[in-house]
Amino acid sequence: MNQPESLSVQTESPTWDSALSDQPNFTGLTFCTVTYGCQMNKHDSEQIAGMLQQHHAQRVWNLQDADIAVFMTCCVREKADERLLGQVATIKNLPVRKNSPIQKRCIAIGGCMAQRDGDKLLEELDDVEVVFGTHNMEELPKMLSRAMHTGKPISKIIHEGKDFPEDLPEVREVPWAAWLPISVGCNNFCTYCIVPYVRGHEISRPLGDIVDRAKFYVSDGVKEITLLGQNVNSYGTDIYGHPRFDDVLDQVSATGVKRLRFVTSNPKDLTDSVISKFGTLPNLMPALHLPVQSGSNRILAAMRRKYTHESYMELVHKLRKVCPNIGLSTDIIVGFPGETEEDFEQTMKLVKEVGYQQVFTFIYSRREGTPAAKMVDNTPQSVIHERFQRLTDLVQEQAYQANQADVDSTVDVLIEGASKRNPHMLSGKSPKNQTVHALIPEGLTIDELQGHILPVHIDEAKTWYLLGHVLLDPVQIAALSRSSASNNPHL
Ligand code: 5AD
Ligand code: SF4
């Protein structure tokens, strides 16, 4: 490998790229993005795609066809690290596409793992040309251009952003659904979590900017906005006037967007006022992801989560009081250092008490540099795996039960596209965020249906999805076939 050009700087004053003041031009080149991890990464990838298209690169959906491959990485758990290394190793051996103007594919690595490892990635991974961090995404086009022109790998990581990042051009993966970050970073430092170290401290976006962006999305045909932040509930404490998250909900709801969601909520900061919005804002969808992590008060304290089993249950009761139908989901870590059978039983108890619609279960993964990495951790892996299996069985049973409650009801479904398994079926999302499948009504194509919100009668409920049929009369079918949602954003 060539000697890497490496820059790891503390400030936002990139003097080095002044030599490349010309706009990079990727005409004739193709690119593909591969995204790991959370919704913030998905949103970042939409911006990467927007920037590269603005510089005339053409998007492709297959790494094999890509002259530029951009990996947006995650480092929350070890598995994510391993997957990235595996995929980069595989792509290394793929020849460049026929007729490519370049001899060698350009591989760029961004996201949380890049932010954490910086230059080390260039040393470890031959063939990687560009490493960029979570705070300097906007520099990717220039870095790519430089690496391709000089033939030298390059890395640049900025350790902390000062302000909320500027909007970049974006290409939404789904035209009618938008991620809208309201804050970046996290101040919580839960003891197992690497995120605050790679995404920095929490920076809130000014409320006016959030509302302007939401208005833009609505005018651009977006049906569903998901507000994003590592902890949306602590929004605003760092900016002038201390706007609160409930102000954000009120004002974004008032833009008239059809569906509003938010993720993620730390239970310690979920206020009564925010809870009440589930009863008052008509477009706030009845679904909440409320990561509990553990049901044991001892483990919650060791995780530095700052709530208890009991106070979490109190939130659940309040939520169900204002919105009886709310679909709750959560994250749970099994095998945190020192977790005993009694601790785990408390988690099982909590899961039974809540009756979640969906639970994302994780085996604890030691992250170097976090406080939990130094804790005594001597539970045998076999015990952890056995607990994990018990929890998974319970979660599946609960998901099945939760979905049964919707059989024979009619739910509004935002149609996403054809089912991956059956081209005659459509797939979409219910207000509670359940996946719904239904036959594509006769006389309509999936293109005509995508992006519309349609009533679906639920005939059957499985563990992970609902099955139903679309309720449309012939007049509605005729209207739909005349105008697809992408032509008419106001349908
Ligand atoms: N090990 C296992 N799971 C983790 N998570 C975060 N850090 C770790 C870790 N070190 C999980 C948490 C979080 C979700 C996004 O990932 O449950 O809510
Ligand atoms: Fe990590 Fe805790 Fe912040 Fe979530 S709230 S990103 S788990 S430190």
Side-chain angles (χ1 to χ4, degrees):
M1 191 173 74
N2 285 317
Q3 202 52 26
E5 241 187 83
S6 130
L7 277 157
S8 186
V9 294
Q10 301 286 341
T11 64
E12 291 172 288
S13 52
T15 50
W16 58 276
D17 61 7
S18 51
L20 275 177
S21 52
D22 288 341
Q23 285 289 308
N25 187 339
F26 301 125
T27 303
L29 295 178
T30 58
F31 75 95
C32 179
T33 59
V34 181
T35 312
Y36 300 92
C38 67
Q39 289 89 347
M40 197 62 92
N41 258 14
K42 287 186 187 161
H43 176 257
D44 287 352
S45 288
E46 290 185 344
Q47 296 195 320
I48 300 281
M51 280 192 298
L52 295 183
Q53 279 191 197
Q54 197 181 50
H55 291 282
H56 311 294
Q58 189 197 333
R59 192 171 200 175
V60 291
W61 301 101
N62 193 330
L63 277 175
Q64 237 157 328
D65 300 328
D67 301 318
I68 300 169
V70 185
F71 291 89
M72 291 301 283
T73 61
C74 168
C75 60
V76 164
R77 287 171 297 276
E78 200 173 351
K79 266 215 178 99
D81 290 15
E82 287 164 3
R83 273 177 64 201
L84 172 87
L85 300 178
Q87 196 148 22
V88 172
T90 314
I91 188 182
K92 224 171 86 169
N93 301 323
L94 288 178
V96 282
R97 70 187 167 101
K98 238 165 102 186
N99 303 331
S100 172
I102 56 176
Q103 265 98 54
K104 188 169 165 289
R105 182 178 289 107
C106 187
I107 302 177
I109 302 193
C112 293
M113 188 177 171
Q115 181 71 29
R116 183 192 64 188
D117 295 347
D119 293 354
K120 241 175 57 190
L121 281 176
L122 288 185
E123 286 156 26
E124 280 170 13
L125 296 169
D126 269 357
D127 273 23
V128 168
E129 261 75 45
V130 174
V131 175
F132 62 105
T134 52
H135 304 292
N136 63 334
M137 265 178 21
E138 72 285 356
E139 295 187 64
L140 177 65
K142 283 187 178 176
M143 291 173 79
L144 284 170
S145 169
R146 189 178 182 107
M148 284 192 281
H149 282 116
T150 62
K152 281 189 180 177
I154 178 168
S155 93
K156 184 178 177 190
I157 304 295
I158 289 174
H159 292 299
E160 187 84 66
K162 276 201 310 286
D163 298 316
F164 190 86
E166 292 284 312
D167 276 330
L168 297 171
E170 70 183 24
V171 184
R172 292 190 297 277
E173 200 179 315
V174 182
W176 52 87
W179 308 109
L180 201 174
I182 65 165
S183 60
V184 291
C186 181
N187 294 342
N188 288 314
F189 292 91
C190 301
T191 55
Y192 51 82
C193 186
I194 193 86
V195 168
Y197 305 89
V198 286
R199 288 271 174 181
H201 70 277
E202 184 174 283
I203 305 176
S204 299
R205 180 177 198 170
L207 181 53
D209 288 3
I210 296 172
V211 176
D212 286 349
R213 192 73 184 154
K215 284 182 183 159
F216 160 74
Y217 283 139
V218 172
S219 70
D220 203 32
V222 165
K223 301 281 172 58
E224 178 170 293
I225 292 177
T226 303
L227 305 173
L228 282 186
Q230 301 300 342
N231 179 14
V232 288
N233 290 306
S234 57
Y235 170 82
T237 45
D238 58 316
I239 52 178
Y240 178 73
H242 301 310
R244 293 174 324 179
F245 182 52
D246 35 311
D247 300 324
V248 179
L249 287 176
D250 282 339
Q251 295 199 25
V252 175
S253 167
T255 62
V257 64
K258 293 258 190 290
R259 290 183 162 196
L260 176 58
R261 303 183 187 277
F262 58 86
V263 69
T264 293
S265 285
N266 189 319
K268 80 179 171 63
D269 297 313
L270 181 63
T271 61
D272 288 352
S273 174
V274 168
I275 290 174
S276 75
K277 302 298 173 196
F278 284 101
T280 55
L281 300 179
N283 45 4
L284 181 60
M285 292 293 101
L288 179 66
H289 186 63
L290 196 60
V292 68
Q293 312 299 358
S294 169
S296 154
N297 287 339
R298 207 178 64 82
I299 296 294
L300 286 172
M303 288 175 162
R304 207 187 282 147
R305 290 291 287 180
K306 301 194 180 138
Y307 55 83
T308 61
H309 184 126
E310 294 73 22
S311 66
Y312 184 92
M313 285 310 301
E314 213 171 294
L315 293 176
V316 171
H317 294 315
K318 284 182 187 169
L319 284 159
R320 292 240 161 93
K321 205 162 165 201
V322 296
C323 184
N325 193 31
I326 196 163
L328 294 173
S329 58
T330 200
D331 293 341
I332 292 178
I333 298 176
V334 178
F336 184 81
E339 181 189 76
T340 63
E341 182 57 28
E342 289 72 45
D343 293 319
F344 179 69
E345 281 301 335
Q346 285 298 310
T347 299
M348 294 286 276
K349 179 165 172 276
L350 183 137
V351 171
K352 286 178 195 155
E353 284 167 353
V354 176
Y356 288 105
Q357 189 179 284
Q358 200 171 9
V359 180
F360 299 92
T361 48
F362 307 105
I363 288 182
Y364 170 73
S365 174
R366 187 176 173 278
R367 302 284 72 194
E368 201 59 64
T370 61
K374 295 197 195 83
M375 293 179 188
V376 178
D377 185 7
N378 50 16
T379 315
Q381 281 302 307
S382 58
V383 172
I384 292 173
H385 283 276
E386 184 267 333
R387 284 181 193 157
F388 186 77
Q389 192 53 52
R390 270 154 67 200
L391 179 61
T392 309
D393 292 346
L394 174 62
V395 163
Q396 286 196 10
E397 172 59 26
Q398 283 213 332
Y400 180 77
Q401 292 303 341
N403 278 348
Q404 296 308 314
D406 292 306
V407 174
D408 266 342
S409 68
T410 298
V411 297
D412 284 336
V413 176
L414 176 54
I415 313 297
E416 293 179 337
S419 154
K420 287 196 182 102
R421 291 217 195 120
N422 181 346
H424 304 298
M425 304 281 282
L426 58 80
S427 289
K429 283 281 161 34
S430 73
K432 287 196 281 178
N433 223 6
Q434 296 141 297
T435 298
V436 181
H437 298 298
L439 263 184
I440 296 173
E442 229 166 275
L444 287 170
T445 64
I446 194 64
D447 290 347
E448 289 161 339
L449 292 169
Q450 285 185 128
H452 288 281
I453 298 173
L454 300 177
V456 174
H457 183 86
I458 303 303
D459 303 312
E460 208 182 329
K462 305 278 191 191
T463 304
W464 303 125
Y465 61 92
L466 304 173
L467 274 170
H469 60 275
V470 181
L471 298 175
L472 285 178
D473 60 36
V475 178
Q476 291 166 312
I477 293 184
L480 276 168
S481 64
R482 275 197 304 273
S483 82
S484 71
S486 49
N487 293 336
N488 183 352
H490 303 294
L491 252 182

